[in-house]
Amino acid sequence: MHTIPFNKPHLTGKEAHYMYDAVYTGKLSGNGKYTHKCQQWFENTFGFGKCLLTTSCTDALEMAAILIGIMPGDEVILPSYTFVSTANAFVLRGAKLVFADSRKDRPGIDEASIEALITPNTKAIVPVHYAGVACDMDVIMDIASRYGLFVVEDAAQAIDSYYIGKDGSKRALGSIGHLAAFSFHETKNIISGEGGMLAVNDMQFADRAEIIWEKGTNRSSFFRGEVDKYGWVDVGSSFLPSEVIAAFLWAQLENIQEIQQRRISIWSKYVERLSGWSKANNIALPFLPEFATNNAHMLYLVCTDLEQRTALLNRLKDNGILAVFHYISLHSSPFYEQKHDGRELHETKRYSECLLRLPMYYDLTEEEQDKIINVLINEK
Ligand SMILES: *Cc1c(COP(=O)(O)O)cnc(C)c1O
């Protein structure tokens, strides 16, 4: 039986060409032509302040934690229903994690629960735009400014997704918080195998971000002719990807519109064809608040309970379709359970037990998608 995988990385066709170019022009390390092309494209297209490509979103989050000066004892508010990297970046600097619950209508952070979690030690809020669906950024930025906190957007899944503010303004996710982190891991919409990016929107961080990125040296300003020698000026690490990776990414960016159109059409067909079945079975389809646009990163279902989800996963698997669940909540993880303050997070638990993701990728064929839908809606 032909198996339908959960994800298949999409190639636009130009990746090898640009990688060949990068290899044979002899500039292999980072911060070269393709890195600049990608970074400028992001800044111009989405209105991010300053972009720096990184080797992963994990790296970009670690840079953010260094930049906002996380120290042992600082508290960071983040959802429990997220990937470990959202948490690790801050734990590595000694932060205490304060987990917020998810919303009832979608897995994103419950904005209304944030304020009660703030203490004098709180330093930052880290909203995660789950499935590329915006958190209510006006609300979060307002809380942050009233309490003097930083906002780091985990925008790993949120490329080409927007937040429409109360004043009608449409802003790209990742352009609103002081800092934002993106991922180009092969499971995301736009990919480079492994890869990521830090978007710096609060320009007080711009110069230091570049230094941290380049191992704590002012190498970048040296190459721009701003200083006559370069040296060790701050902490830092090796966060920048090689030109070969940036060249791959450039081929993806050139085709972002086509990639997004295809994904949105697959996403919409799922929602259209599954709506009657999902209602009849008390299964929720993705909910989009009116302030969020759709980047079709993910098609998830929220089942009534664990038994229903297990049965669906098995039925799909028996038919050669690989659907998967998602995060095991971080507040009850082996690593953090003892450190967590003990609050129960009901919605987080529910998404851990009931959320299921369907295959959702550019090269999913019409026949394959029809098969997935039919296996779901025709009970036997
Ligand atoms: C994918 C993902 C990450 C990690 O991205 P990498 O590029 O693999 O480091 C972090 N947070 C969220 C929400 C993600 O989906």
Side-chain angles (χ1 to χ4, degrees):
M1 184 169 43
H2 159 72
T3 307
I4 302 175
F6 170 66
N7 180 59
K8 208 188 263 183
H10 170 65
L11 299 179
T12 68
K14 282 284 202 77
E15 285 83 359
H17 173 74
Y18 291 140
M19 289 168 87
Y20 187 95
D21 179 54
V23 169
Y24 287 96
T25 50
K27 167 73 180 158
L28 288 176
S29 60
N31 203 1
K33 177 176 84 177
Y34 284 104
T35 299
H36 297 159
K37 274 165 101 82
C38 292
Q39 289 176 172
Q40 262 165 26
W41 184 91
F42 279 114
E43 288 164 14
N44 296 339
T45 307
F46 296 117
F48 304 140
K50 179 191 177 80
C51 291
L52 293 171
L53 294 190
T54 57
T55 55
S56 64
C57 178
T58 303
D59 267 0
L61 288 163
E62 286 177 24
M63 286 180 72
I66 297 171
L67 280 167
I68 63 171
I70 294 289
M71 302 282 217
D74 287 343
E75 294 177 11
V76 172
I77 299 171
L78 73 168
S80 172
Y81 195 70
T82 185
F83 190 59
V84 284
S85 295
T86 322
N88 261 329
F90 299 93
V91 168
L92 277 167
R93 323 258 2 128
K96 176 179 171 223
L97 304 178
V98 179
F99 290 112
D101 206 356
S102 294
R103 295 180 57 99
K104 271 199 162 47
D105 58 4
R106 56 185 187 276
I109 192 167
D110 181 0
E111 298 88 351
S113 74
I114 293 174
E115 205 161 341
L117 301 175
I118 295 174
T119 75
N121 296 325
T122 307
K123 189 87 183 237
I125 306 169
V126 187
V128 179
H129 303 299
Y130 186 81
V133 178
C135 299
D136 196 339
M137 291 307 290
D138 278 350
V139 170
I140 292 170
M141 295 310 288
D142 175 62
I143 297 171
S145 83
R146 280 191 284 115
Y147 289 90
L149 309 176
F150 292 114
V151 173
V152 178
E153 292 175 72
D154 183 337
Q157 305 173 8
I159 197 73
D160 193 35
S161 205
Y162 291 80
Y163 175 75
I164 299 157
K166 288 196 183 59
D167 60 358
S169 64
K170 190 175 164 187
R171 284 172 292 164
L173 298 187
S175 73
I176 304 169
H178 301 85
L179 298 162
F182 285 92
S183 175
F184 308 122
H185 185 264
E186 74 168 35
T187 50
K188 310 298 202 258
N189 292 26
I190 297 296
I191 62 173
S192 59
E194 302 279 353
M197 181 174 74
L198 179 74
V200 178
N201 300 313
D202 181 340
M203 295 311 268
Q204 67 161 311
F205 295 122
D207 291 342
R208 189 160 182 242
E210 204 175 57
I211 288 166
I212 289 167
W213 187 59
E214 282 269 29
K215 297 118 186 150
T217 72
N218 54 355
R219 192 169 174 274
S220 296
S221 43
F222 172 72
F223 281 116
R224 281 194 300 267
E226 293 162 7
V227 290
D228 52 17
K229 56 183 190 307
Y230 86 83
W232 187 20
V233 295
D234 203 335
V235 297
S237 190
S238 185
F239 288 118
L240 64 174
S242 92
E243 276 290 286
V244 184
I245 297 293
F248 187 110
L249 183 63
W250 180 245
Q252 295 267 314
L253 296 183
E254 280 190 331
N255 287 277
I256 188 169
Q257 284 194 330
E258 194 195 324
I259 291 171
Q260 291 298 83
Q261 268 165 24
R262 176 75 191 128
R263 293 186 74 102
I264 286 169
S265 113
I266 295 169
W267 192 97
S268 306
K269 177 169 161 178
Y270 268 133
V271 167
E272 213 171 282
R273 299 266 318 271
L274 293 176
S275 78
W277 165 83
S278 66
K279 278 197 197 81
N281 290 280
N282 208 10
I283 291 168
L285 292 173
F287 174 80
L288 282 164
E290 64 214 16
F291 56 69
T293 65
N294 179 23
N295 76 343
H297 172 62
M298 190 192 296
L299 196 295
Y300 67 83
L301 307 173
V302 187
C303 299
T304 318
D305 52 32
L306 181 59
E307 289 67 40
Q308 187 187 41
R309 182 179 76 176
T310 307
L312 277 184
L313 283 172
N314 288 339
R315 176 138 54 93
L316 289 162
K317 195 163 157 229
D318 291 344
N319 285 278
I321 299 160
L322 292 181
V324 293
F325 50 84
H326 213 181
Y327 308 124
I328 315 290
S329 44
L330 297 182
H331 75 285
S332 54
S333 62
F335 180 63
Y336 219 83
E337 192 171 22
Q338 296 308 314
K339 302 178 188 69
H340 175 63
D341 55 31
R343 278 172 302 118
E344 280 189 45
L345 303 173
H346 296 281
E347 298 307 317
T348 305
K349 183 162 183 281
R350 188 168 65 87
Y351 292 113
S352 287
E353 291 177 356
C354 304
L355 188 142
L356 175 164
R357 297 176 291 158
L358 296 178
M360 170 75 236
Y361 51 87
Y362 184 101
D363 294 299
L364 187 70
T365 66
E366 294 293 331
E367 298 73 46
E368 288 169 330
Q369 194 180 8
D370 287 339
K371 179 178 170 184
I372 297 165
I373 291 167
N374 290 334
V375 165
L376 287 172
I377 64 184
N378 304 326
E379 293 282 318
K380 277 269 150 29

